[in-house]
Amino acid sequence: MRILNINEVDLRNKKVLIRSDLNVPLMEGHITSDKRIQASIPTIQHAINQGARVMVTSHLGRPKEGEYSEENSLRPIAEYLGRLLQYPVRLQKNWVDEEFSVNPNELVVLENCRFNVGESKNLEALAKKYASLTDIFIMDAFGAAHRKQASTYGVAEFSSIACAGILFSNELEALENVMTSAKNPMIAIVGGSKVSTKLSLLDSLSDKVDQLILGGGIANTFLKAQGCEIGQSLYEPNFIPQAKKIISKLQARGASLPILKDVVCGKQFDPNEPAVVKQIDQIMPDDMIFDLGPKSMKVIVAMVKSAKTILWNGPLGVFEYSQFSQGTELLAKSIAKSNGFSLAGGGDTISAIQMFGVEKDISYISTAGGAFLEFVEGKKLPAIEILEARAN
C-alpha cells in the first residue's frame, strides 16, 4: 500500500486544507472529551510550523445539509484549539462561496462541512470547490475514512496534491500491523448492544482469532444461541442462526468463545438498580444481564494475560452504572497490564479507557469507530483508496 505522507510534502507558504476528525461530544457547548482534538494537533501543528496557510474542517453531529445549527457549529472547537495552541483561531462560517484569506502560520477552522449541500453524497461540484481552496489536501480524519464524501474523498480526487496526515498514517499503520502481522495467541473483545451492527466484524474475526470474547447484548444473543436462559436481557432473536454459525466456525478452527459461568443481573435498567451475581443456570425469566460475573472474568483475565495480540471494541456491560462496571473495569486493567500488543477503538471503548485510567497503558488507541470496524472486517476504506490512487 503506497500513500503519500505529509512528511514527504513541502508545505511552506502553501494553502493547506486538513480534513480532521473533530467530532467530539459536547454538553451545553462544552467539550466533554477532547481525545480526537488532541489526536489531531500533531498534523495541524506540523503544517503551521512549516509556514503553511492552514485550513481545517470537520463534521460535528448530524446536521441537515444546507441548514446552519448552533448546536453543530465548530465554534467551541475553534475556541478550544485556540486555547491549546495559545493563539487566536478564526472560524470561517461560509467558506464555500465566500472569499476569505489565510496568512502563513495561521490556522482557520472552516465551519462544519456537513452544513454544505452535497457533502454526504460527494457532489462533484462541491468537491471541486473544496479543492480550489487549497494547494495541498491532507486527510487526517481516519474516523471518517469509511465515508465517501466530498470532504473525505472528492476533495482528494481533485486537489493538486493529496496526502495523509500524521494521525491518519499512525492509525493505518497500527491497524495494518494487527491485521497482517499479529502474533498469536490473538484475542478479540467485542461488546455492544446489537449483533446486527457488528455481524460482519464477528464473522471476519472468527477466521482470525484464537479467542473471541463478547459482551453486552451481543453476548446475550450468543448465550441464547447456546441454549441459555437470559430472562428479559437485550438480545436479537433474528440473529441466533448467524451466532450459531460463528460458534461452529470457531470450534472448527480450534478457536473458542470463553464459557461464561456467571453474570451480574438486575430487574430493570436503572442507575439505582441493585446488582446481583448469578450463575448462568440460575437466571430467572424476569432477570436482565448487565455485566459479566467474577468467575467469567477470571477466565477472561487469564486469556488476556496469555495473549500476544489484543483487539478491543466495546464494553462488557453497562459500565456507565458503577454497580455494573466491574467487568469492563477488570478487562481494561487486565489489558493495561498485558505484555501483548493491544489495539482499542470505538467511542464507548475510549470512554471506558479514560474512566478507568489506563490510557497510557494501551499500546494503541484508535480514534475511529466505524472506520476501525470496517478495516478490521477487511473492507477497503474509500479514503485509503483515493489516497492510494493519487499516490500512483
Side-chain angles (χ1 to χ4, degrees):
M1 182 185 296
R2 166 64 180 153
I3 287 177
L4 190 64
N5 187 277
I6 188 175
N7 294 314
E8 302 173 74
V9 182
D10 182 5
L11 305 180
R12 285 175 296 179
N13 204 31
K14 297 292 197 304
K15 291 183 293 182
V16 171
L17 173 59
I18 303 172
R19 173 53 160 100
S20 296
D21 183 3
L22 306 175
N23 183 34
V24 296
L26 294 168
M27 185 174 291
E28 298 180 353
H30 298 289
I31 296 164
T32 57
S33 172
D34 70 348
K35 173 69 178 175
R36 285 175 172 162
I37 297 176
Q38 293 283 359
S40 300
I41 290 293
T43 295
I44 295 170
Q45 191 69 69
H46 175 83
I48 292 169
N49 291 345
Q50 292 288 309
R53 303 166 184 260
V54 186
M55 298 167 282
V56 174
T57 192
S58 173
H59 69 287
L60 180 66
R62 298 179 180 275
K64 185 176 180 180
E65 287 187 3
E67 295 183 13
Y68 173 84
S69 63
E70 191 68 32
E71 64 179 313
N72 293 306
S73 171
L74 291 180
R75 184 169 298 283
I77 315 301
E79 293 171 353
Y80 195 83
L81 281 168
R83 292 194 293 272
L84 284 178
L85 298 170
Q86 297 186 328
Y87 53 75
V89 173
R90 176 160 52 98
L91 178 70
Q92 180 66 33
K93 188 172 180 181
N94 183 1
W95 53 279
V96 176
D97 297 314
E98 185 177 296
E99 289 189 10
F100 64 97
S101 60
V102 185
N103 297 318
N105 303 103
E106 184 184 13
L107 169 62
V108 174
V109 173
L110 308 181
E111 186 58 283
N112 193 335
C113 56
R114 286 189 178 168
F115 288 158
N116 301 329
V117 176
E119 164 65 21
S120 62
K121 293 184 178 179
N122 188 30
L123 188 69
E124 183 174 314
L126 182 65
K128 286 181 175 178
K129 285 184 178 181
Y130 289 173
S132 70
L133 297 173
T134 185
D135 300 311
I136 300 164
F137 171 69
I138 300 171
M139 178 57 176
D140 206 36
F142 193 84
H146 60 313
R147 307 287 189 195
K148 190 174 182 178
Q149 298 179 339
S151 69
T152 60
Y153 187 97
V155 63
E157 190 175 11
F158 298 113
S159 294
S160 299
I161 297 174
C163 65
I166 295 168
L167 173 61
F168 193 100
S169 298
N170 288 344
E171 294 263 10
L172 186 55
E173 182 181 0
L175 283 165
E176 282 183 326
N177 286 342
V178 166
M179 301 316 296
T180 61
S181 307
K183 294 181 180 178
N184 293 324
M186 178 182 181
I187 67 171
I189 304 105
V190 182
S193 59
K194 294 182 177 181
V195 171
S196 54
T197 60
K198 297 183 178 179
L199 182 63
S200 54
L201 171 68
L202 295 171
D203 188 56
S204 176
L205 288 174
S206 66
D207 290 322
K208 301 177 176 73
V209 300
D210 297 290
Q211 276 106 25
L212 182 59
I213 298 165
L214 305 176
I218 293 174
N220 297 338
T221 300
F222 276 74
L223 282 171
K224 194 72 173 177
Q226 292 169 305
C228 299
E229 171 64 58
I230 62 169
Q232 297 297 311
S233 304
L234 175 68
Y235 83 108
E236 292 180 283
N238 292 341
F239 289 89
I240 287 177
Q242 288 92 329
K244 288 180 178 179
K245 287 180 181 178
I246 289 171
I247 293 169
S248 297
K249 189 191 289 190
L250 286 165
Q251 291 173 339
R253 290 181 50 246
S256 65
L257 290 169
I259 297 173
L260 300 183
K261 298 183 178 182
D262 57 356
V263 291
V264 183
C265 296
K267 300 297 184 184
Q268 58 183 343
F269 189 80
D270 188 278
N272 299 312
E273 179 67 13
V276 180
V277 177
K278 291 196 172 187
Q279 304 306 301
I280 204 73
D281 59 356
Q282 295 177 339
I283 297 172
M284 302 301 292
D286 61 344
D287 282 330
M288 301 177 76
I289 300 170
F290 292 135
D291 197 11
L292 301 186
K295 291 180 181 177
S296 297
M297 288 309 303
K298 186 176 181 179
V299 174
I300 289 170
V301 167
M303 289 180 174
V304 170
K305 187 176 181 179
S306 63
K308 293 290 190 293
T309 306
I310 303 162
L311 186 68
W312 179 22
N313 175 259
L316 295 181
V318 186
F319 74 100
E320 300 91 339
Y321 298 164
S322 60
Q323 70 272 38
F324 302 119
S325 67
Q326 283 85 349
T328 302
E329 181 176 7
L330 187 54
L331 172 68
K333 291 180 176 178
S334 299
I335 293 173
K337 292 177 183 176
S338 170
N339 293 322
F341 180 87
S342 52
L343 173 61
D348 286 342
T349 312
I350 293 172
S351 295
I353 287 169
Q354 292 177 324
M355 180 183 291
F356 302 123
V358 298
E359 196 167 357
K360 294 180 180 178
D361 299 308
I362 306 297
S363 304
Y364 192 84
I365 301 172
S366 173
T367 59
F372 174 90
L373 297 178
E374 290 193 17
F375 189 95
V376 171
E377 288 170 28
K379 294 181 179 178
K380 195 75 169 180
L381 306 186
I384 296 175
E385 282 187 317
I386 189 60
L387 289 176
E388 283 182 317
R390 292 307 312 276
N392 294 326

